[in-house]
Amino acid sequence: MNSPQDQQILTGLTRSELEQFAASLGEPAYRGRQLYRWIYARRARDFAEMTDLPALLRERLAVSAEVGALNVARESLPGRDRSQKFLFELRDGLRVETVYLPDSPGETVCISSQVGCALGCQFCATGKMGFFRNLTAGEIVQQVIECERRVNTRLTNVVFMGMGEPFHNYDNVVKAVRLLADPEGIGIAPSRITVSTVGIVPSLERWITDDPPAKLAISLHATTDERRNQIMPVNKAYSLETLMKSVRRWAHVTRHPVTFEYIMIADLNDRREDAANLKHLLRNVPAKVNLIRLHPTGSGLPPSSDAAIDRFMGWLVEEGINCTLRESRGVEEKAACGMLYTQEPFKPTKARAWEHTDRS
Ligand code: SAH
Ligand code: SF4
């Protein structure tokens, strides 16, 4: 019998990859398509469930392959609003977090694209972990399927707003988005899949060409290069104008509206002039600004007060900018935006990072 390491994990494979896999077992291509339906549309986790496959094939599959499941290392109790955070353990022992957010709107899951993140935004707990590795497309998709199973609900919305920068794991994220959106597979509506990115410009350019079935949200958080550099080191590589040039092209080519995420930080980005700067930056883009309260992560940055947020929203309205304030959920459970943290920072000279206990 093969050891688990030798077994091919099938979740994450496309329809044609599953056809090839079937061929590698000497089976006709349609067996691959049957596997596709069982794994994604019917969410089967075991070959034994796949009753239209011959018993002998099911036995062979059980030896050489695995549907693929994530182990839950810990799950929080459902919050007052039924939201829940899952800590998933990957095969190499690394961990990622996934958050279930019912009614926000629809049945939403917030998923991770990387273990950690290399971008080190000052306000973000994930950034403090440093970067461990990219998730595979299978690991990304499995978070959705496993969350559904745990909360016993069909999910309707997926947001890539968990750990990691999706555009630093471009190929796997696009592959996962396509698997999630396939109406004959997992079947999440493209208008209900959102990828959030700080805007790595070369990846954004690829995204414009590929036009994957998902919406995009850009984490802006400041209106001048000087201030964005201060809190988001990535801005030193791609200035606001470079980023916005690409965003404008994307909006023009795809005709999709763009959401901008904007964390409210006292005196840094909540001034009158920031509202005017935003108007200038967002010119010619069908935009919505989603204001977010700064969640506590020990960053030392001061959150804008409720009064300052109200005032800023008023200025945005004056500037003709469409804006909303995102509800902050899961702050107590450290499940809110920017609060996901699963490993001690990676220090190559010490023991492997995943041997530390997590503090999430
Ligand atoms: N790397 C991507 C996606 C993950 S972060 C990105 O940055 O867009 C998802 C969202 O959480 C982003 O908008 C991010 O800016 C926000 N976020 C990070 N830290 C936060 C904090 N302390 N308080 C509120 N939102 C935060
Ligand atoms: Fe990475 Fe996003 Fe956190 Fe910045 S906010 S460190 S890009 S996960």
Side-chain angles (χ1 to χ4, degrees):
M1 175 134 179
N2 287 350
S3 71
Q5 274 70 24
D6 302 329
Q7 286 180 315
Q8 165 93 48
I9 298 172
L10 302 188
T11 305
L13 300 188
T14 60
R15 193 181 277 100
S16 67
E17 284 168 344
L18 283 168
E19 286 172 358
Q20 283 162 30
F21 170 71
S24 75
L25 298 177
E27 294 287 330
Y30 74 86
R31 295 282 183 221
R33 295 195 288 279
Q34 281 177 304
L35 282 168
Y36 186 90
R37 265 195 308 280
W38 277 110
I39 293 170
Y40 297 116
R42 301 165 93 160
R43 324 287 207 254
R45 91 180 300 181
D46 213 302
F47 297 114
E49 294 172 51
M50 304 182 183
T51 45
D52 57 359
L53 298 181
L56 197 62
L57 175 58
R58 280 186 264 150
E59 279 169 32
R60 286 177 63 209
L61 284 167
V63 173
S64 59
E66 196 187 298
V67 172
L70 293 173
N71 292 324
V72 177
R74 182 158 355 114
E75 65 185 280
S76 69
L77 290 171
R80 248 171 294 142
D81 59 358
R82 296 192 294 125
S83 66
Q84 245 181 305
K85 178 162 98 164
F86 300 99
L87 178 68
F88 288 123
E89 183 152 311
L90 309 170
R91 292 186 142 223
D92 56 6
L94 289 175
R95 292 154 168 210
V96 287
E97 288 183 318
T98 303
V99 184
Y100 167 57
L101 298 160
D103 314 313
S104 64
E107 296 289 311
T108 299
V109 64
C110 173
I111 59 174
S112 297
S113 57
Q114 299 183 310
V115 185
C117 181
L119 290 177
C121 301
Q122 191 185 341
F123 40 79
C124 174
T126 308
K128 292 198 176 64
M129 287 169 53
F131 173 69
F132 287 76
R133 73 165 169 85
N134 282 332
L135 296 188
T136 62
E139 288 165 337
I140 296 172
V141 163
Q142 278 166 8
Q143 293 172 65
V144 178
I145 296 178
E146 198 57 47
C147 177
E148 272 193 342
R149 201 171 277 143
R150 300 255 149 200
V151 300
N152 200 18
T153 308
R154 266 296 155 111
L155 294 167
T156 56
N157 296 53
V158 177
V159 294
F160 284 73
M161 295 186 187
M163 297 168 66
E165 167 49 48
F167 276 10
H168 263 182
N169 186 15
Y170 183 87
D171 291 329
N172 291 334
V173 165
V174 167
K175 188 175 182 192
V177 162
R178 295 203 162 112
L179 287 169
L180 291 170
D182 182 358
E184 288 171 14
I186 299 175
I188 309 271
S191 60
R192 293 174 172 212
I193 302 175
T194 304
V195 174
S196 171
T197 173
V198 293
I200 312 288
V201 170
S203 304
L204 185 52
E205 288 294 321
R206 285 182 69 193
W207 184 274
I208 297 169
T209 311
D210 297 341
D211 196 19
K215 295 193 301 182
L216 209 57
I218 305 283
S219 290
L220 205 61
H221 309 325
T223 66
T224 65
D225 282 324
E226 188 208 340
R227 293 189 172 216
R228 200 166 187 258
N229 287 347
Q230 229 173 294
I231 53 171
M232 299 171 73
V234 67
N235 196 69
K236 293 176 192 153
Y238 309 107
S239 71
L240 277 169
E241 261 318 318
T242 317
L243 169 62
M244 288 310 301
K245 201 169 149 218
S246 225
V247 170
R248 248 172 248 127
R249 205 168 82 73
W250 177 64
H252 181 73
V253 171
T254 65
R255 309 209 163 270
H256 295 317
V258 192
T259 298
F260 293 89
E261 293 161 286
Y262 195 90
I263 302 175
M264 297 297 299
I265 307 171
D267 303 322
L268 187 122
N269 63 9
D270 62 357
R271 304 159 305 161
R272 181 69 189 85
E273 65 198 88
D274 289 308
N277 293 346
L278 264 182
K279 175 165 175 112
H280 180 70
L281 281 171
L282 306 188
R283 67 190 181 277
N284 303 328
V285 180
K288 189 182 97 180
V289 175
N290 202 189
L291 303 177
I292 311 172
R293 286 197 174 82
L294 174 67
H295 303 135
T297 58
S299 66
L301 290 167
S304 302
S305 65
D306 284 351
I309 295 177
D310 276 353
R311 200 168 53 221
F312 192 68
M313 285 183 90
W315 290 330
L316 291 185
V317 172
E318 269 173 40
E319 297 288 356
I321 296 172
N322 179 359
C323 70
T324 48
L325 176 63
R326 182 184 291 169
E327 199 192 341
S328 290
R329 289 169 66 172
V331 174
E332 274 166 36
E333 300 84 15
K334 292 197 179 159
C337 286
M339 298 182 81
L340 306 185
Y341 185 98
T342 57
Q343 319 273 153
E344 292 301 322
F346 185 61
K347 295 197 187 72
T349 50
K350 293 214 173 142
R352 288 184 309 166
W354 50 90
E355 286 168 1
H356 293 265
T357 51
D358 78 276
R359 318 188 303 210
S360 60

